[in-house]
Amino acid sequence: MPILDRMEQEPDDPFAFTPVATAPRADGWSAARQRDFIAELATHGSVAAAARAVGMTPQSARRLRDRPDAAGFVRAWEAAVEQGRCVALDEAMRIAREGRLVPVIRRGKLVGHRRCFDSRLLFAACYGAPMQRFDHAAAVARLDPAAKDPGTR
């Protein structure tokens, strides 16, 4: 089936895609493994960590992405990275605001917890996030250049 025909059949969900056809191998990129990789990538945005989580290498994931019949996989990959980065930024901001609970141990026994704040994490989260993240129209354009922002006419 040609790539364009498969792309037209895929729904508007950026994480729904037609898996890349690969040779059936127990240690290869099966359809289930590709979907698990995209789901894992959407949780934190790290290609290396997502590949390791599904038992593959980042290099093999990038080779799969570079294949000519991987248009849907590429689209899902980009959407997952965008979502994963947003999730990671939100978590960094939460930890920076609320701090972390650190156990207090005296004479080998846990006697309580204290809340530790790290302003470096807050600075990294604030200065590491491009402001386009907060622009809905820019996010829609990055994910689907042909789509229009529902808030504009």
Side-chain angles (χ1 to χ4, degrees):
M1 176 181 287
I3 293 172
L4 292 176
D5 291 342
R6 276 192 291 181
M7 286 176 56
E8 290 172 2
Q9 293 175 357
E10 293 174 357
D12 292 335
D13 179 12
F15 300 114
F17 66 98
T18 303
V20 180
T22 58
R25 289 179 51 165
D27 62 345
W29 281 102
S30 65
R33 189 168 274 163
Q34 291 176 43
R35 287 190 181 93
D36 292 345
F37 170 78
I38 294 297
E40 188 69 30
L41 188 58
T43 62
H44 48 69
S46 170
V47 174
R52 282 191 299 270
V54 297
M56 301 300 285
T57 65
Q59 295 82 6
S60 68
R62 289 187 179 95
R63 280 195 304 270
L64 182 67
R65 177 190 165 103
D66 290 340
R67 289 180 47 164
D69 58 341
F73 183 70
V74 169
R75 185 174 46 84
W77 176 310
E78 290 170 356
V81 166
E82 177 69 23
Q83 178 175 324
R85 286 182 180 158
C86 290
V87 168
L89 175 65
D90 291 344
E91 182 65 11
M93 293 292 284
R94 186 192 65 74
I95 291 171
R97 280 191 321 270
E98 298 173 8
R100 293 180 197 235
L101 285 179
V102 177
V104 177
I105 299 175
R106 297 230 168 87
R107 295 184 181 157
K109 293 187 179 183
L110 178 67
V111 295
H113 291 85
R114 65 179 173 167
R115 192 167 296 276
C116 292
F117 293 90
D118 187 359
S119 59
R120 294 174 300 165
L121 182 61
L122 182 60
F123 285 125
C126 289
Y127 292 112
M131 291 310 291
Q132 292 87 2
R133 173 192 183 270
F134 302 103
D135 182 10
H136 177 71
V140 169
R142 278 193 307 276
L143 294 177
D144 186 8
K148 284 188 167 183
D149 180 14
T152 61
R153 296 181 190 240

